Amino acid sequence: MKKVMILSALLLSSSAFADERAEIMANNCAGCHGTDGIVEDSSLISIAGLKAEVFIETMQDFRNNERSSTIMRNVALALSDDEIAAMAEYFEALPTGEEK
Amino acid sequence: MISRREFLSLAAAFSATAVMPAGAYAANRAKVVVIGGGVGGATFAKYLRRKAPNVDVTIIEQNPIYIRPYGSSEVLTGHIDLSDLEVNYDALRNRYGVKIAIDRAIGLDADRQIVKTASGTEYAYDRLVVSPGIELSYDKVEGYSKELAETKAPSGWIPGSQTSLLRDQIQNMRQGGTMLIVAPPNPYRCPPGPYERGALVAEWMQKHNPTGKVIITDPKNKFTAGNNFLLGWNRLYGYNIPMEFMEGMPDDVVEHTTPGMIDWIPGKDGGTPISFDAANMSIETEGGNIKADVINIVPPMKAGKIAQQFGLTNEQGWCPVSRVTFESQKIANVHVLGDASIADAMPKSGFAANTQAKVAAYAIAHLLAGEAPEQSPAFENTCYALAGTDYGFFVSAVYELRDGKIAKKEAPGLQDLDATEAQRRLSAVYQQAWMKSFTEDCFA
């Protein structure tokens, strides 16, 4: 009986995991871009509410050296297309500083 | 898909959670106790409360004010004051409802899941998180001791009174004097730190002690972002880059004909320190005796003392953990974060501790709810470093789990050696901005 419950719990939660991985990856940006993508310092950029297509295009530009950067080229090269897309979706859904 | 073996280990984790007496303490309110309110502990507490607001989180921390170690070498040159490193726990307390107990953990009853403190309080936990940072092994350098570090030859690696003492020694040094930095063996907190410190002091000397000199003696033959440092030193302080590091260096590298302000002696050239002679203010190295006016010894390190006391460390003094939940491989329901933990390819940096803490917070939120945590977490590290106030560069990497270990995802990890002056300047701007943004993400 217990085993059955465990199994169903695993199956139920597995679909939520994909979303959570995007959130976990997005959390890694917060050291520079702020908790929930909002940072006060003006030399760093808030990324909360950024349109997903802009996020993806910017990351591609970093990768291709078409946009000057410090660490972001390396970060963009380390992330897969799927990871970038998932993070883009995640940040787009976050409220910007003005909305908060 | 999860393998059968993973499923079985998950199932084991589940049944362990199911019998956990969370309800024994307070109805449905799980208790998490965190020892240490540094980067790892603070970030963990904040992100756990955001993720699982019903969980009761208490940080046990000795000091009411945290003094951040990252950026603390900037105190030595007067760029900032020691008080600028201070961070309080107000936001954790008021915004996130984290309980802060200014107290000292002294004992662990792992069977009853209780932490005992110096004040005589007992804290029951469902999950305990130990984020104790590092302990400096002063006794690993013959002739050196904590007492000498506090009076004569400061390490200044954990900021505080040793940092002030080192600043005063540097600033009061005779004209033409020498500062000797003794770099530690791997692994240690803040891999670029000793070399950035040397550079910042050399830059300060250019203005205030132009005939002064910095020598870094080192048991290692290479170090993090080494090529970026050596290039920066060549451009700024008259350092001559050794032949074996010349590959990939840009055209403007100069062969200086006069001695530079900074020198680095790697292990293969005799840099390995053997002993400290406090009376003569000298360091005996494998290559000979080096006398100096200011001696800054960064000794070997191990996990913070409480991790050793609790039996969480291995023979090398670091804590083996699950790379998915950061649960100790020594004691069940106890997790270890940050510098103290063994995190494979990740450096012992604040940024690393911060991203580990978030992964652990999410994993523990799931475990407390009787769910399995995300099995393929991701981590990151970014360290900006300076060769001068306007001369910055970085190390950065994204990490994932590979064969149960934390591994770096394929990408270049360093600033290009042919980075433009504008890029180097930008790295320096970001280095300063990061001090604020990072502190906010951890503590506010």
Side-chain angles (χ1 to χ4, degrees):
Chain A
M1 183 59 197
K2 198 171 186 179
K3 269 186 185 156
V4 175
M5 282 172 61
I6 290 162
L7 184 61
S8 58
L10 275 176
L11 291 175
L12 276 176
S13 46
S14 65
S15 62
F17 285 169
D19 298 340
E20 186 166 288
R21 185 151 199 277
E23 187 177 333
I24 287 172
M25 299 210 68
N27 282 343
N28 290 339
C29 309
C32 303
H33 294 284
T35 307
D36 289 331
I38 297 174
V39 65
E40 276 179 40
D41 191 284
S42 56
S43 59
L44 299 163
I45 295 169
S46 291
I47 50 178
L50 194 65
K51 290 264 170 277
E53 62 195 63
V54 176
F55 185 100
I56 292 168
E57 195 188 323
T58 306
M59 293 294 264
Q60 277 164 352
D61 287 350
F62 282 138
R63 271 189 192 168
N64 302 332
N65 244 346
E66 282 163 14
R67 191 183 167 108
S68 171
S69 75
T70 59
I71 69 153
M72 283 311 299
R73 175 161 192 265
N74 298 348
V75 173
L77 284 167
L79 297 173
S80 71
D81 289 347
D82 288 348
E83 287 169 337
I84 288 173
M87 290 162 80
E89 206 176 300
Y90 178 81
F91 279 114
E92 186 179 62
L94 291 180
T96 64
E98 286 79 44
E99 293 163 36
K100 265 203 160 173
Chain B
M1 280 300 286
I2 58 169
S3 70
R4 181 178 156 77
R5 211 170 107 203
E6 280 167 342
F7 173 76
L8 287 176
S9 72
L10 280 176
F14 270 56
S15 45
T17 321
V19 298
M20 236 158 40
Y25 309 122
N28 300 324
R29 201 154 153 79
K31 281 189 184 338
V32 174
V33 173
V34 182
I35 298 177
V39 164
T43 306
F44 170 85
K46 168 177 164 174
Y47 275 79
L48 179 57
R49 288 281 303 164
R50 280 163 48 90
K51 192 73 183 163
N54 289 326
V55 175
D56 183 290
V57 180
T58 303
I59 295 179
I60 301 172
E61 164 58 50
Q62 299 180 60
N63 303 308
I65 298 286
Y66 177 64
I67 305 178
R68 62 170 169 86
Y70 49 93
S72 61
S73 284
E74 292 170 31
V75 173
L76 304 179
T77 59
H79 182 69
I80 55 171
D81 292 328
L82 191 62
S83 61
D84 293 324
L85 302 174
E86 292 180 356
V87 185
N88 67 51
Y89 294 107
D90 293 353
L92 282 184
R93 223 184 252 120
N94 302 330
R95 197 175 299 164
Y96 301 102
V98 175
K99 295 174 185 165
I100 311 283
I102 304 305
D103 204 341
R104 189 162 56 87
I106 55 168
L108 171 68
D109 184 334
D111 293 334
R112 290 169 59 220
Q113 297 185 206
I114 284 170
V115 174
K116 295 169 187 173
T117 65
S119 73
T121 314
E122 292 195 341
Y123 292 88
Y125 63 82
D126 295 299
R127 294 275 165 177
L128 173 65
V129 173
V130 182
S131 187
I134 48 155
E135 190 195 2
L136 299 171
S137 302
Y138 297 105
D139 59 350
K140 286 280 171 69
V141 179
E142 198 191 317
Y144 196 42
S145 64
K146 188 170 188 224
E147 199 215 329
L148 285 170
E150 278 161 8
T151 54
K152 191 125 195 199
S155 77
W157 215 245
I158 297 171
S161 58
Q162 288 186 27
T163 312
S164 309
L165 175 62
L166 185 57
R167 174 198 61 206
D168 294 347
Q169 288 181 344
I170 292 166
Q171 300 197 359
N172 297 326
M173 187 167 73
R174 69 179 172 90
Q175 291 294 306
T178 297
M179 176 193 187
L180 176 62
I181 298 174
V182 180
N186 288 324
Y188 61 97
R189 165 183 283 177
C190 191
Y195 313 94
E196 181 184 70
R197 176 175 286 182
L200 293 177
V201 172
E203 184 182 51
W204 180 87
M205 283 177 169
Q206 285 181 323
K207 273 201 195 119
H208 303 278
N209 191 346
T211 51
K213 193 172 168 71
V214 175
I215 300 173
I216 303 172
T217 192
D218 201 332
K220 307 184 292 297
N221 291 325
K222 56 179 186 171
F223 56 89
T224 299
N227 284 11
N228 291 88
F229 272 108
L230 302 187
L231 176 59
W233 296 348
N234 178 271
R235 285 171 169 159
L236 300 172
Y237 313 118
Y239 173 79
N240 278 327
I241 302 174
M243 270 319 289
E244 69 265 33
F245 291 99
M246 276 304 292
E247 200 191 319
M249 287 290 178
D251 296 339
D252 70 303
V253 168
V254 179
E255 170 99 34
H256 299 280
T257 50
T258 51
M261 296 191 74
I262 193 161
D263 201 5
W264 172 58
I265 310 168
K268 67 176 178 55
D269 296 341
T272 304
I274 297 167
S275 61
F276 170 54
D277 183 340
N280 282 315
M281 277 299 278
S282 66
I283 293 280
E284 187 68 28
T285 69
E286 284 183 355
N289 196 273
I290 307 172
K291 227 174 137 40
D293 300 272
V294 173
I295 298 184
N296 173 209
I297 302 174
V298 185
M301 300 166 202
K302 53 189 172 181
K305 197 169 267 171
I306 197 74
Q308 303 165 46
Q309 275 176 24
F310 283 4
L312 295 163
T313 47
N314 68 7
E315 280 161 12
Q316 286 76 43
W318 304 102
C319 303
V321 292
S322 149
R323 275 66 165 179
V324 172
T325 63
F326 285 82
E327 183 168 8
S328 167
Q329 291 173 357
K330 301 266 184 184
I331 304 176
N333 303 314
V334 178
H335 302 245
V336 185
L337 298 178
D339 293 345
S341 69
I342 296 171
D344 312 313
M346 292 185 85
K348 298 192 182 301
S349 72
F351 205 113
N354 167 279
T355 64
Q356 291 164 8
K358 292 167 185 171
V359 166
Y362 280 44
I364 288 176
H366 282 301
L367 291 171
L368 291 172
E371 300 160 3
E374 165 64 49
Q375 294 298 299
S376 55
F379 309 92
E380 197 159 321
N381 179 59
T382 292
C383 297
Y384 284 104
L386 300 175
T389 307
D390 296 321
Y391 192 115
F393 41 89
F394 57 82
V395 256
S396 75
V398 182
Y399 301 87
E400 63 185 354
L401 289 199
R402 226 176 287 149
D403 303 324
K405 296 266 170 76
I406 300 176
K408 187 177 173 289
K409 292 186 80 168
E410 199 53 47
L414 298 164
Q415 182 164 290
D416 288 340
L417 292 173
D418 58 6
T420 61
E421 192 189 338
Q423 282 173 311
R424 301 190 306 255
R425 220 170 246 275
L426 195 57
S427 284
V429 168
Y430 287 156
Q431 187 265 3
Q432 290 290 295
W434 178 89
M435 295 289 160
K436 271 163 56 193
S437 66
F438 181 72
T439 304
E440 279 166 17
D441 186 47
C442 300
F443 294 91

